[in-house]
Amino acid sequence: PTVPSSMAADANGPVADAVPDVAPAAPPPPKYASGPDMGLGMGRAMLAMQLFEKGKSMYAQCEADPNPEEAYERTHRLMADECLKLAQSHGGIYNKAAQFVASLQGGAGDKGIPKAYIEALKVVTDKAPFKPFSDMDECFREEFGGKSAKEVFASIEETPIAAASLAQVHRAVTKDGRHVAVKMQYPWLKHHLASDFAVFTMFGQQIKPGGFDLSWLVRDFQVSLTAELDFEGEAANAERCARDLAHRPDVLVPNVIKEFSSKRVMTTEYVPDMTRVDNREGLIMAGYDPKRVGAALASVFSEMVFVHGHVHGDPHAGNVYVRPRKPLPRAKS
């Protein structure tokens, strides 16, 4: 099997005019403000706090239940569904947090993160609620001089093939016949993130559990997440990763199509016939050995860490896929 280390719902690159023989029109003004709205951020945070308090109360009642194990399991399922709804409605940083929780299924097992949360929240890794194409096209127009994606590409599917915390991906065909995946950032994302972080920063400065100042954690998370909004940086990382791993026949990093990429839009070659790396049943049905897939995955990330010192990836299961490997050419006798 081939284990792509680049992400089906996470990739991009720099800008060039998609139609070089036509002078670009002035880009339309952004519909959403990029600065913080404390009211918006506070309202979103209060809904999350209400859910936290609800869960805290429900879990406190489990020990008094005649059958505490069943009570805990019911509470896990109910609260996991509630957390999923919150992540889906809020998006952005809340969706990102849900992705993080869904990925914590390693050695700690169910005692670390109950399985109900893993199963419920893994939806947001690549099947977050789809947004209308018209909304996403706003982002494309802002990045490409007012041109719609429908003008730039020969065709583009309005129904996305994947949607995650920061962007969603649409399949398209270029005017020269290449099949590509176009990842477009949610047009309201910067406004929501600025609003959320303004509130979290205020909380971090005022609330110090046990006397510990946690504002540094908010700052680090903000720096990290803000970097993810720069798709040109992601494109550069993908290209470096492709060079680092070019000697491996078991890795594919999809090529970045630079002329259709920018800071908020990233276009890569479209890779068909992929299976999620955490879909054990799907891997077996497709003829893959999950143990060999796991070994290949461990080898790839170990090489990035210990050999190259450069790790490209947000390695949750919505970003790492398996596909059939092309036969290697036979050596000449």
Side-chain angles (χ1 to χ4, degrees):
T2 298
V3 182
S5 85
S6 185
M7 319 304 157
D10 288 318
N12 40 26
V15 185
D17 190 353
V19 188
D21 59 336
V22 178
K31 183 176 178 181
Y32 299 92
S34 58
D37 179 337
M38 291 296 289
L40 173 65
M42 188 66 75
R44 288 156 61 87
M46 288 301 101
L47 289 174
M49 185 62 72
Q50 289 173 11
L51 180 58
F52 174 79
E53 292 297 334
K54 176 181 177 180
K56 185 178 176 181
S57 174
M58 291 184 65
Y59 278 112
Q61 298 172 27
C62 290
E63 282 300 326
D65 193 274
N67 193 330
E69 288 190 7
E70 288 187 7
Y72 273 116
E73 191 57 39
R74 285 195 307 270
T75 303
H76 291 335
R77 290 196 299 269
L78 190 148
M79 289 307 302
D81 288 340
E82 292 287 332
C83 288
L84 174 61
K85 291 175 184 175
L86 181 80
Q88 291 177 326
S89 64
H90 281 23
I93 190 172
Y94 293 90
N95 219 334
K96 203 70 181 173
Q99 286 183 354
F100 178 73
V101 172
S103 302
L104 296 177
Q105 58 187 56
D110 288 356
K111 290 184 179 179
I113 299 293
K115 189 174 181 180
Y117 287 91
I118 303 296
E119 292 300 316
L121 297 179
K122 71 180 182 181
V123 172
V124 300
T125 58
D126 64 352
K127 297 297 180 188
F130 294 163
K131 305 302 180 185
F133 179 80
S134 57
D135 288 352
M136 305 309 298
D137 203 32
E138 288 179 20
C139 173
F140 195 94
R141 287 177 181 274
E142 289 173 10
E143 294 296 296
F144 289 93
K147 298 185 183 75
S148 166
K150 291 186 175 182
E151 298 176 71
V152 171
F153 295 103
S155 65
I156 185 167
E157 296 178 5
E158 293 197 4
T159 301
I161 56 176
S165 55
L166 308 181
Q168 68 184 35
V169 183
H170 294 258
R171 187 175 176 181
V173 179
T174 64
K175 291 181 179 179
D176 59 4
R178 290 173 290 172
H179 290 260
V180 296
V182 185
K183 184 172 78 166
M184 294 181 275
Q185 207 170 102
Y186 300 122
W188 53 83
L189 184 64
K190 283 188 176 181
H191 181 49
H192 283 191
L193 287 180
S195 304
D196 291 333
F197 276 118
V199 171
F200 294 159
T201 299
M202 181 186 69
F203 285 166
Q205 292 170 346
Q206 297 179 359
I207 302 173
K208 299 182 179 181
F212 290 102
D213 182 3
L214 299 181
S215 57
W216 65 270
L217 186 60
V218 177
R219 287 195 300 271
D220 279 10
F221 191 27
Q222 185 172 10
V223 169
S224 175
L225 195 51
T226 301
E228 284 195 53
L229 301 184
D230 179 8
F231 288 176
E232 289 181 338
E234 186 178 344
N237 286 335
E239 291 174 326
R240 176 176 172 181
C241 181
R243 291 193 299 270
D244 289 345
L245 302 176
H247 64 286
R248 297 190 62 131
D250 59 347
V251 175
L252 171 70
V253 181
N255 291 323
V256 177
I257 314 299
K258 291 188 176 182
E259 63 264 37
F260 303 120
S261 298
S262 72
K263 279 192 174 294
R264 295 197 298 152
V265 174
M266 179 168 170
T267 301
T268 66
E269 64 174 309
Y270 175 75
V271 181
D273 303 323
M274 299 194 301
T275 304
R276 277 179 63 118
V277 74
D278 66 339
N279 183 358
R280 180 180 174 81
E281 292 76 15
L283 292 173
I284 293 172
M285 288 180 63
Y288 305 126
D289 179 353
K291 289 184 178 180
R292 288 188 62 196
V293 170
L297 191 60
S299 173
V300 168
F301 276 90
S302 295
E303 179 175 335
M304 285 194 283
V305 172
F306 298 113
V307 177
H308 306 294
H310 176 264
V311 179
H312 174 56
D314 178 9
H316 61 70
N319 283 342
V320 185
Y321 290 77
V322 183
R323 69 162 196 162
R325 184 192 297 182
K326 293 181 180 179
L328 296 175
R330 290 185 177 182
K332 294 182 180 180
S333 56

